[in-house]
Amino acid sequence: MTNNPRVFNFSAGPAVLPLPVLEEAQRDLIALPGAGMSILEISHRSDTFESIFADAIGAVRQVAGVPDHYKILALQGGASLQFTMVPMNLLLAGTTADYIDTGSWSKKAIKEARRVGNVNVAASTADDNYNRIPGADEIHLTPDAGYVHITGNNTIAGTEWPALPEVGDRPIVTDASSHILSGPIDVSRYGVIYAGAQKNLGPSGVTLVIIREDLIERSSDDLPTMLSYRTHVDNDSHFNTPNTFGVYILGLTMKWLLSQGGLSGIAEVNERKAAKLYTEIDRTGFYRGTAVKDSRSRMNVTFRLGDEAAEKTFVREAAAAGLEGLKGHRSVGGMRASIYNAFPEEGVDALVDFMQEFERKRG
Ligand code: PMP
């Protein structure tokens, strides 16, 4: 018996990857089967990589049921670059984009969009410390908005849209970084879905962009080449060197996701994991969930204790017990358990046990 060197990694991202993915990558790291060289060394124009790329993108299409009239891109620059690329490509002069402000990442997206064009903040829950998603009656859309931008899951505040807002025929653009492929999704309800890979898809350095074909028409020929969606669509994400290793891990992660029963299979596990933690948080009042119940995230479970000193102790003792990464984001404090697709259910059970023990000692 060897000791398992791995801790339970509750980090918000980069985050835990499925063990079978790491094992396969490790096995093939010296030489990809049939290629005689590693994924870190192989040309992005080689047949081997072309087939890895096509398989990875094809698997995303299959897993998420992406319709044919959507393009799937594997870009770089993180979700943060999409804060800029989305308005540069889609926010035409003389039009307005609606943004719904549900937290720090929304605010960053809004800041970048304002550099490019007219932005209307159609709703904001800033006054409630972003502890909830706005209701339909609070959202004031521009009649002919070019698009409506939302942050599908708010990694820091621990909130998630329980259902999409009603926006008529305005395209929805969502930053899905922290909940992409965590459950069934109707891609046809979106104009653009973007996400940094480092939570649910693979390592950092790959950004997935799923874009409805007709929206690509908006990209002006005057845009800087690398910032134009059209460039990346026309070159199948190979205008420059893609993140070959990241795309490879994305493909393995999609294969793993399919083995888990795809999006409906993983959704069931994700709901069970989140329910276990929220049930424990609500059990006695010793812990306090920070998000309003109907806005709670299934991916980032945020909670607090009575005082900050106790929270520090909690995070420290949890780490000593092999439960790492539970400190809340530096901007909000408290605790955050990020339990993305690949986070094992045993780790959630271990955290629940730890929380009960911590309460017994200090409650
Ligand atoms: N949006 C959300 C919702 C995020 O959680 C993050 C990263 N934590 C970002 C955007 C920024 O992503 P990146 O670091 O890939 O630019």
Side-chain angles (χ1 to χ4, degrees):
M1 281 277 289
T2 51
N3 276 336
N4 178 4
R6 287 171 66 76
V7 296
F8 288 120
N9 175 7
F10 289 92
S11 168
V16 60
L17 286 167
L19 192 55
V21 167
L22 298 177
E23 286 169 342
E24 183 168 340
Q26 181 186 45
R27 190 193 68 208
D28 292 345
L29 188 61
I30 301 296
L32 288 165
M37 62 181 85
S38 86
I39 183 65
L40 297 170
E41 303 160 303
I42 201 161
S43 163
H44 63 294
R45 308 277 177 204
S46 64
D47 289 348
T48 302
F49 183 71
E50 284 310 333
S51 110
I52 286 171
F53 184 90
D55 286 353
I57 298 298
V60 171
R61 194 176 284 283
Q62 181 190 350
V63 168
V66 179
D68 288 346
H69 63 293
Y70 285 75
K71 299 290 185 190
I72 303 175
L73 305 173
L75 307 182
Q76 299 181 58
S80 299
L81 185 58
Q82 294 310 306
F83 296 165
T84 300
M85 281 181 73
V86 164
M88 266 190 147
N89 285 267
L90 304 183
L91 178 47
L92 302 181
T95 67
T96 297
D98 285 339
Y99 276 69
I100 301 182
D101 171 27
T102 52
S104 315
W105 296 111
S106 307
K107 271 203 308 206
K108 290 191 173 160
I110 290 165
K111 185 173 171 198
E112 297 310 314
R114 282 195 165 128
R115 295 179 198 275
V116 175
N118 292 333
V119 170
N120 167 47
V121 176
S124 172
T125 51
D127 287 349
D128 291 319
N129 277 330
Y130 297 120
N131 69 356
R132 62 187 186 85
I133 299 297
D137 55 337
E138 298 170 87
I139 301 175
H140 304 290
L141 299 174
T142 306
D144 54 355
Y147 60 88
V148 180
H149 182 283
I150 64 168
T151 311
N153 183 79
N154 297 277
T155 325
I156 296 174
T159 62
E160 182 173 14
W161 284 81
L164 284 182
E166 263 321 316
V167 299
D169 55 10
R170 305 165 184 88
I172 294 180
V173 175
T174 188
D175 174 359
S177 293
S178 50
H179 72 165
I180 190 159
L181 306 191
S182 59
I185 179 170
D186 180 358
V187 173
S188 71
R189 296 197 60 196
Y190 297 86
V192 180
I193 299 167
Y194 66 86
Q198 63 271 23
K199 300 158 197 306
N200 262 344
L201 303 174
S204 59
V206 185
T207 315
L208 194 71
V209 176
I210 302 174
I211 180 167
R212 210 175 67 202
E213 242 163 27
D214 61 290
L215 293 173
I216 298 155
E217 307 297 316
R218 291 195 198 172
S219 298
S220 154
D221 288 338
D222 298 333
L223 287 177
T225 309
M226 275 293 285
L227 298 180
S228 164
Y229 286 133
R230 194 196 305 269
T231 301
H232 299 294
V233 167
D234 287 350
N235 292 279
D236 199 16
S237 306
H238 281 60
F239 176 76
N240 70 325
T241 316
N243 178 345
T244 44
F245 182 73
V247 169
Y248 166 71
I249 299 291
L250 167 68
L252 297 185
T253 305
M254 292 303 100
K255 195 166 81 174
W256 172 82
L257 196 47
L258 283 166
S259 78
Q260 304 302 298
L263 296 189
S264 53
I266 206 72
E268 210 175 289
V269 182
N270 285 335
E271 268 149 37
R272 198 165 61 227
K273 288 189 301 188
K276 282 180 176 179
L277 280 182
Y278 286 120
T279 300
E280 179 55 28
I281 287 167
D282 294 338
R283 195 170 54 85
T284 66
F286 180 72
Y287 300 100
R288 182 171 53 82
T290 60
V292 168
K293 279 191 183 163
D294 63 4
S295 297
R296 283 173 161 176
S297 167
R298 294 160 307 130
M299 299 281 106
N300 309 100
V301 177
T302 50
F303 57 103
R304 305 216 59 155
L305 279 166
D307 69 276
E308 286 181 21
E311 291 173 344
K312 264 199 174 139
T313 310
F314 181 99
V315 170
R316 192 183 61 240
E317 291 185 1
L323 308 171
E324 294 254 11
L326 285 164
K327 191 168 182 291
H329 190 269
R330 59 190 184 282
S331 62
V332 294
M335 279 84 72
R336 170 175 57 180
S338 296
I339 48 172
Y340 301 118
N341 287 353
F343 188 88
E345 191 162 355
E346 308 90 82
V348 170
D349 294 336
L351 176 56
V352 168
D353 287 347
F354 177 85
M355 289 168 76
Q356 292 183 353
E357 183 60 23
F358 191 86
E359 178 173 350
R360 246 192 312 276
K361 283 194 301 206
R362 290 163 198 272

